[in-house]
Amino acid sequence: MICEEIHKAISALAVNYAADQICVLIDEKVADRAASILDPQWPTLSLAVSEQKKSLETVQQIWDFLFAHGITRRGLLICIGGGILTDLGGFAAATYKRGIDYINVPTTLLAMIDASTGGKTGINYGGLKNSIGCFAPPIETLIWTGWLETLPTKEVLSGFGEMLKMGLIVNDLWGALLRYDLDTMPIDSLQPLIAQCVEEKERIVAADPKEEGLRKILNFGHTFGHALEEKSMDAHARSGIEPLDHGYAVVYGLIAELYLSVTKLGCPKEPLQQLTHLMLHYYGKPNCKCSDREALIALMQQDKKNERTAQINCTLIQNIGSPLINQVITSEEANEALEYLFSL
Ligand SMILES: NC(=O)c1ccc[n+]([C@@H]2O[C@H](COP(=O)([O-])OP(=O)(O)OC[C@H]3O[C@@H](n4cnc5c(N)ncnc54)[C@H](O)[C@@H]3O)[C@@H](O)[C@H]2O)c1
């Protein structure tokens, strides 16, 4: 889809709403490029995003913006940005006057292949990632890969991290991801792999929209990944060190959870070796400021994915394309997996 098609798609959806009932929420980094696809009459709130700003205060700011422009329950919010913006915008839309329609226009790789579809919305709260939120799918997600031309390499790698996760839990994707050379291949050549990831996610979500079973396979890498991300957010607040990007945390989480897949479920070692190679080549080692194993285990015990507290629950894989949900991990096993990750 080219940008002109996004313009047409937004305009076609907008005709279903009164002109004074449409608002735009946009990541400030794409605001200039997006101007041509938006009606200048639509009120626009431009935000600088960060995990720290994925907060209740920002949601209040969005609610205030919607109230200030007299948006009723028949309004529409157009969310244009990365996963932080679409998670925030979706949550604000889902809770404003008990829910208004919203459209996602993802502008990062991660948001295209993951965050903008599936209906999970939310914010960080109490030092925990996405701990407040709800399921509320957008009425449409409009993907245009041209946005990626301005995306910094670090953010491309972050999105690629979630693609690697998808490659490990479904069939027929891992080999293509291993062959994809991010150093030399033009970003638009990712297009077929993006389409495949979106298709797989839509298939999984359609079968289990509320994450009661199958959808939990998408959490592979995230029990450890979220703990690492939360620890890095805490270290950032205390000493200003650069926090981990979500997709980097997922890659490190995948290494730990692949290690457990090998030791607990007999998964072949090859995917772990292949991912370790990719990690060292593209992502580097996890920051030692996040390596307090006791604190990480405590965070995992509080993770919202765990139905009972003090129990660590993970998705693991028996092989590529064969995930197993609800695997209980002891703190000793978690400690061993972290020791492995930090020894690389
Ligand atoms: N809802 C879900 O199902 C789901 C799934 C996965 C991840 N997430 C969430 O997504 C978030 C991460 O999303 P993300 O990686 O997109 O991060 P992000 O939204 O922070 O975007 C990354 C950076 O890129 C900038 N940016 C956005 N588009 C750009 C463009 N086209 N050109 C240049 N810069 C651009 C942003 O301003 C930001 O600095 C996390 O909070 C994670 O929890 C949600």
Side-chain angles (χ1 to χ4, degrees):
M1 188 182 270
I2 56 163
C3 201
E4 185 49 34
E5 283 175 63
I6 290 275
H7 181 198
K8 281 191 199 147
I10 291 180
S11 308
L13 289 164
V15 296
N16 300 318
Y17 301 83
D20 63 355
Q21 288 300 310
I22 301 172
C23 277
V24 179
L25 181 69
I26 193 159
D27 184 319
E28 64 172 22
K29 297 220 179 108
V30 294
D32 287 348
R33 287 182 84 196
S36 64
I37 59 169
L38 299 170
D39 184 327
Q41 288 182 354
W42 295 336
T44 299
L45 176 63
S46 176
L47 292 179
V49 300
S50 66
E51 286 294 339
Q52 290 65 40
K53 289 197 175 151
K54 193 173 167 184
S55 64
L56 196 53
E57 289 72 26
T58 309
V59 172
Q60 277 172 334
Q61 193 186 345
I62 304 167
W63 288 331
D64 288 342
F65 163 71
L66 296 171
F67 275 115
H69 291 284
I71 300 302
T72 69
R73 207 182 271 177
R74 281 189 282 280
L76 174 72
L77 182 64
I78 301 171
C79 303
I80 308 177
I84 293 186
L85 188 123
T86 56
D87 275 11
L88 272 167
F91 183 60
T95 46
Y96 178 80
K97 298 195 175 176
R98 297 203 176 87
I100 61 169
D101 287 347
Y102 75 99
I103 298 172
N104 277 339
V105 183
T107 63
T108 63
L109 180 57
L110 190 139
M112 287 175 197
I113 56 108
D114 197 355
S116 68
T117 54
K120 276 191 184 178
T121 73
I123 55 167
N124 303 326
Y125 188 79
L128 297 175
K129 282 276 303 170
N130 306 329
S131 49
I132 301 289
C134 59
F135 289 97
I139 58 164
E140 199 78 62
T141 294
L142 304 171
I143 296 178
W144 175 56
T145 52
W147 297 112
L148 302 178
E149 286 158 21
T150 57
L151 197 65
T153 308
K154 183 166 79 88
E155 301 303 339
V156 174
L157 283 170
S158 184
F160 199 69
E162 286 280 11
M163 294 175 84
L164 291 169
K165 181 236 16 219
M166 190 63 92
L168 288 165
I169 59 172
V170 302
N171 292 312
D172 305 327
L173 180 59
W174 184 244
L177 290 170
L178 291 182
R179 285 190 296 279
Y180 191 83
D181 183 350
L182 281 161
D183 293 332
T184 57
M185 292 167 85
I187 194 79
D188 59 359
S189 59
L190 261 182
Q191 169 88 52
L193 295 176
I194 294 172
Q196 199 178 341
C197 286
V198 173
E199 215 171 279
E200 294 286 4
K201 176 144 186 201
E202 283 175 350
R203 175 183 62 79
I204 294 163
V205 171
D208 177 21
K210 292 270 172 79
E211 200 175 279
E212 280 150 348
L214 177 73
R215 188 172 176 168
K216 291 184 187 174
I217 65 174
L218 293 170
N219 295 333
F220 187 42
H222 283 64
T223 300
F224 283 72
H226 274 165
L228 287 159
E229 206 178 348
E230 285 155 3
K231 188 79 187 60
S232 90
M233 279 159 56
D234 182 52
H236 173 70
R238 284 166 199 273
S239 56
I241 66 152
E242 182 83 354
L244 269 181
D245 269 332
H246 180 73
Y248 280 60
V250 169
V251 169
Y252 301 136
L254 286 172
I255 298 270
E257 293 178 28
L258 265 176
Y259 174 86
L260 290 170
S261 300
V262 172
T263 55
K264 278 175 74 79
L265 300 183
C267 174
K269 284 189 180 144
E270 209 184 4
L272 177 59
Q273 288 159 351
Q274 289 163 329
L275 187 68
T276 302
H277 174 77
L278 289 179
M279 178 195 94
L280 294 172
H281 181 73
Y282 289 127
Y283 297 87
K285 297 176 184 187
N287 191 309
C288 61
K289 287 269 188 312
C290 305
S291 66
D292 179 343
R293 282 183 261 149
E294 232 172 81
L296 288 167
I297 290 167
L299 284 166
M300 284 188 255
Q301 286 166 336
Q302 290 174 54
D303 193 283
K304 66 186 179 310
K305 292 189 289 303
N306 293 322
E307 276 148 31
R308 272 177 272 156
T309 49
Q311 194 181 68
I312 303 172
N313 203 306
C314 269
T315 293
L316 300 179
I317 63 169
Q318 291 174 296
N319 206 334
I320 290 169
S322 300
L324 274 188
I325 62 170
N326 296 335
Q327 299 300 298
V328 176
I329 308 295
T330 64
S331 34
E332 291 74 25
E333 288 166 337
N335 188 48
E336 193 185 310
L338 287 168
E339 201 173 353
Y340 174 78
L341 172 67
F342 290 114
S343 73
L344 292 171

